């Protein structure tokens, strides 16, 4: 569903615009670098196709209702992620301008939800690995269905987060999620079916047309950098809010056995010394600010913390942790590569 | 009329509106874009329970739609279609937010109703501003303005191509859809297998058309770079346009004008 201006605050809207503009500049540059001037009219035509196809409904097998194609995943399969994002963004712009579907400020959010998520997360991380180079019809259909469902679930989650962050609607996050996620599961299945049907038709009729995306995307591991970075940022920065506030298996077991949530302070010298070092080094202890993370005695009937625990410090902890892990892995990789080169 | 046919009609109507010679059409598209965005941000920056304070901002779409001669029915139709999602979510507000806020006569109005009213007003204002922007500017001028503002040429070219060919493909889709409806039993929807072959045919035709368009472009000397004709120059009137409107928005945001006016009137009376 398209996000609307009326539910957005300027801060959230501008933030989503900045994110979408950043992705757009990358996507536009990659399309330009391809230096294939067939792409220009093809992108326009396929955008027009998606626009028109969105208005034609088909009946969903098994139920009495009808659905229509979204198009983000189809475009990614046909054109590759960068060109697909540009096309989706243009279709959304025309919809916002001519049909007031969404709004000008919400356009940034819509480009992110309906463009970045299918093209840069669902397609490279789900469809490509599952489908491979030239999949059979069953495998392709399965990959498409899974990718579409994931893309729409992520999109629904994004809409809920943007609405809650804006604060204009009084709908609580849990109720909103409970409504949006199941509905978009159904929509995702519909999208997957429609996309799989169209791609299957194309594969039977003119399989060479499906190679346009393949020719644009060389088997380059760097292609995964943007999607994986995005996935890591989303998981560390946003999905961490949804972490369970209940104690994990080990903490629960310790509490049952020892009677307290945390074990007693270490008595041995080495253990105490190492513990002291860790306390000094940890500047985000327990993924929170030091003042707030003072250990509390285990309470039997403690009131459950608010869920999702929307907390800027958790986001910072998640992002910093992710970045630090990445830097460490890069350093180790560089070190190993230099060692191998020397021998 | 089917959704597709209605959408095509709207596209044509708004396109042709922008081609007319009106006072607003002469303004630089960058100025109009900047002022519209400033307007939308101002509207959305109000608190969730502010309703009356938003009303002075309605002057902007009112004046501009008069200057651009946008017909009332186009405005009304777009408002009617706009943002069912926002309204549905907004309707949850009276349900979840019941702290009493207003007392009118004997009736107590919850805060949720006030914020719902605010959402309604926001939808009306933002949608009217968008319609007026397009009705007075047109896609070509808008793309010129966007590319001058630094938007990548790949995207503005894509917008122009899309707008050019959406009519062609939407009409074909309409013909396919009508052909099916005429041959199918009444009320019978398009099954998925049939959808795949019909829309698949449209997709194949889209690919072939794109190849023909590419050949035609090459035959006319296309060298890979799309040059957009730009004949707008920033004038003093544009600076005045931006300055006056943004100043008004700042005033309406800083001062609760309806409240001030109300106080003035009651003081004069009393």
């Amino acid at each position: 569903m398209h996000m609307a201006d009326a539910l957005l605050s300027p801060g959230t809207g501008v933030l989503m615009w900045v994110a979408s503009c950043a992705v757009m500049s990358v996507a536009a540059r990659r399309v330009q670098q391809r230096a294939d001037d067939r792409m220009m009219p093809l992108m326009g035509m396929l955008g027009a196709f998606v626009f028109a196809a969105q208005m034609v409904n088909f009946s969903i097998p098994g139920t009495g209702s009808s659905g229509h194609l979204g198009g983000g995943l189809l475009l990614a399969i046909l054109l590759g992620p960068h060109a697909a994002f540009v096309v989706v963004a243009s279709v959304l712009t025309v919809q916002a301008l001519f049909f007031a579907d969404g709004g000008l400020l919400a356009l940034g959010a819509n480009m992110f939800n309906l463009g970045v998520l299918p093209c840069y997360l669902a397609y490279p991380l789900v469809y490509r690995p599952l489908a491979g180079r030239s999949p059979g019809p069953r495998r392709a259909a399965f990959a498409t269905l899974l990718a579409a469902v994931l893309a729409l679930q992520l999109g629904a989650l994004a809409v809920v987060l943007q609405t809650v962050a804006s604060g204009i609607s009084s709908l609580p996050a849990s109720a909103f999620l409970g409504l949006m996620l199941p509905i978009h599961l159904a929509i995702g299945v519909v999208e997957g079916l429609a996309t799989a049907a169209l791609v299957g038709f194309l594969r039977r009729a003119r399989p060479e047309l499906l190679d346009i995306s393949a020719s644009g995307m060389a088997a380059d591991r760097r292609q995964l950098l943007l999607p994986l970075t995005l996935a890591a940022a989303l998981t560390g920065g946003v999905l961490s809010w949804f972490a369970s506030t209940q104690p994990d298996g080990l903490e629960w077991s310790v509490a049952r056995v020892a009677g307290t949530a945390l074990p007693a302070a270490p008595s041995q010298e080495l253990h105490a010394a190492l513990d002291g070092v860790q306390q000094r080094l940890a500047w985000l202890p327990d993924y929170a600010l030091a003042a707030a993370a003072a250990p509390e005695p285990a309470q039997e009937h403690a009131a459950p913390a608010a869920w999702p625990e929307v907390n800027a410090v958790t986001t910072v902890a998640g992002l910093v942790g992710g970045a630090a892990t990445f830097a460490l892995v890069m350093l180790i990789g560089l070190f190993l590569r230099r060692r191998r080169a020397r021998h | 009329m089917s959704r597709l046919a209605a959408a095509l009609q709207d596209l044509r109507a708004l396109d042709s509106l922008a081609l007319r010679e009106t006072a607003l059409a002469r303004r630089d598209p960058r100025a109009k874009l900047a002022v519209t965005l400033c307007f939308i941000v101002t509207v959305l920056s109000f608190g969730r329970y502010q309703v009356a304070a938003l009303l002075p901002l309605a002057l902007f779409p009112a004046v501009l739609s008069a200057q651009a001669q946008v017909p009332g029915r186009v405005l009304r139709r777009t408002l009617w279609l706009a943002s069912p999602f926002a309204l549905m979510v907004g309707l949850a507000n009276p349900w979840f937010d019941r702290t009493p806020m207003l007392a009118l006569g004997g009736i107590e109005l919850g805060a949720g109703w006030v914020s719902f009213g605010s959402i309604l007003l926001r939808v009306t204002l933002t949608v009217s501003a968008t319609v007026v922007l397009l009705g007075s500017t047109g896609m070509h001028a808008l793309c010129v303005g966007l590319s001058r503002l630094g938007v990548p040429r790949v995207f503005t070219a894509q917008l122009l191509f899309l707008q050019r060919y959406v009519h062609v493909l939407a009409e074909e889709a309409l013909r396919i859809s009508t052909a099916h409806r005429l041959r199918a039993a009444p009320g019978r929807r398009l099954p998925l297998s049939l959808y795949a072959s019909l829309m698949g045919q449209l997709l194949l035709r889209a690919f072939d058309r794109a190849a023909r368009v590419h050949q035609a472009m090459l035959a006319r000397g296309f060298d890979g770079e799309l040059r957009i004709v730009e004949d707008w120059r920033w004038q003093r009137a544009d600076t005045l346009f931006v300055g006056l409107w943004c100043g008004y928005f700042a005033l309406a945001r800083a001062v609760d004008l309806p409240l001030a006016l109300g106080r003035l009137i009651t003081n004069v009376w009393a």
Side-chain angles (χ1 to χ4, degrees), chain A residues 1-10 14 17 24-25 27-29 31-32 36-49 51-61 64-69 74 78-79 86-94 96-105 111 159 163 167-172 175-176 180 190 193-194 197-199 201-202 204-206 209 212, chain B residues 3-4 6-8 10-11 14-15 33 36-37 40-41 44-49 78 81-86 88-90 92-93 96-97 112 115 119-120 122-123 126-127 130-131 133-134 139 142 146 152-155 157-159 161-163 165-170 173 177 189-192 195-211 213-214 217-218 222-226:
Chain A
M1 277 196 194
H2 287 80
M3 188 63 186
D5 267 352
L7 295 175
L8 267 183
S9 71
V14 167
W17 257 119
M24 174 63 81
S25 62
R29 210 185 356 246
V31 170
Q32 192 110 354
D36 184 357
D37 49 37
R38 283 181 309 166
M39 288 302 284
M40 214 180 273
L42 183 61
M43 281 162 63
M45 256 334 148
L46 289 182
F49 169 79
F51 190 92
Q54 282 182 352
M55 311 252 174
V56 179
N57 282 9
F58 58 89
S59 65
I60 304 167
S65 48
S66 63
H68 64 82
L69 181 75
L74 177 70
L78 294 176
L79 294 172
V86 175
V87 176
V88 169
S90 67
V91 171
L92 290 170
T93 308
V94 167
L97 286 172
F98 282 86
F99 304 98
D101 205 351
L104 286 184
L105 192 67
M111 280 189 201
V159 167
T163 310
I168 310 291
S169 161
S170 313
L171 206 51
F176 205 1
M180 290 285 277
V190 167
L193 288 174
L198 281 171
V199 173
F201 178 85
L202 213 60
R204 283 191 306 272
R206 296 260 287 279
L209 292 175
I212 296 179
Chain B
R3 261 176 82 204
L4 198 48
L8 259 176
D10 287 337
L11 273 172
L14 275 170
D15 255 342
L33 197 61
T36 308
L37 282 172
I40 293 178
V41 169
L44 298 179
S45 69
F46 279 86
R48 56 198 288 198
Y49 296 118
T78 322
L81 293 172
S83 285
F85 179 64
M88 274 195 299
V89 175
N93 281 16
F96 283 99
D97 191 358
S115 58
I119 289 181
L120 274 180
R122 279 159 208 256
V123 170
T126 52
V127 166
T130 314
V131 170
L133 172 69
L134 195 70
M139 205 54 164
L142 209 60
L146 285 174
R153 189 50 73 95
V154 169
F155 183 64
Q158 166 63 15
L159 276 174
F161 271 100
L162 173 64
Q163 197 228 358
Y165 295 115
V166 79
H167 296 278
V168 174
L169 281 181
S177 164
R189 296 252 185 79
L190 200 59
L192 186 61
Y195 173 87
S197 34
L198 289 180
M199 283 293 123
Q201 286 292 334
L202 187 63
L203 186 56
L204 285 178
R205 269 184 246 166
F207 272 100
D208 290 337
R209 254 213 181 82
V213 168
H214 180 238
M217 285 164 79
L218 287 177
F222 181 58
D223 60 357
E225 200 195 306
L226 197 74

Side-chain angles (χ1 to χ4, degrees), chain A residues 1-3 16 73 109-127 145-163 176-177 180-189 191 226-242, chain B residues 85:
Chain A
M1 277 196 194
H2 287 80
M3 188 63 186
M16 298 316 302
L73 189 62
N110 283 324
M111 280 189 201
F112 189 85
N113 302 346
L114 299 164
V116 173
L117 295 175
C119 297
Y120 288 106
L121 280 183
Y123 173 72
L125 297 180
V126 179
Y127 179 81
L145 204 63
L146 211 61
V149 165
L150 179 74
L152 272 130
Q153 290 293 91
L154 285 175
L157 180 65
V159 167
V160 172
L161 288 173
Q162 286 151 10
T163 310
F176 205 1
L177 273 176
M180 290 285 277
L181 290 183
I183 292 176
H184 282 79
L185 186 64
I187 297 177
V189 170
E191 170 85 4
L226 180 62
L228 284 175
T229 312
L230 211 64
L234 267 171
T235 316
V238 174
L239 289 179
S240 52
W241 296 342
F242 293 86
Chain B
F85 179 64

Side-chain angles (χ1 to χ4, degrees), chain B residues 96-149:
Chain B
F96 283 99
D97 191 358
R98 297 200 187 173
T99 51
M101 196 175 235
L102 283 179
L104 295 169
I107 311 168
E108 222 175 41
L109 217 59
W113 285 109
V114 177
S115 58
F116 177 60
S118 185
I119 289 181
L120 274 180
L121 205 49
R122 279 159 208 256
V123 170
T124 312
L125 290 173
T126 52
V127 166
S128 336
T130 314
V131 170
V132 166
L133 172 69
L134 195 70
S136 65
T137 313
M139 205 54 164
H140 183 255
L142 209 60
C143 288
V144 170
L146 285 174
S147 61
R148 282 242 188 106
L149 286 171

Side-chain angles (χ1 to χ4, degrees), chain B residues 71-86:
Chain B
R73 60 178 162 77
V74 171
L75 219 54
R76 274 194 299 274
R77 194 185 145 69
T78 322
L79 276 171
W80 177 249
L81 293 172
S83 285
F85 179 64

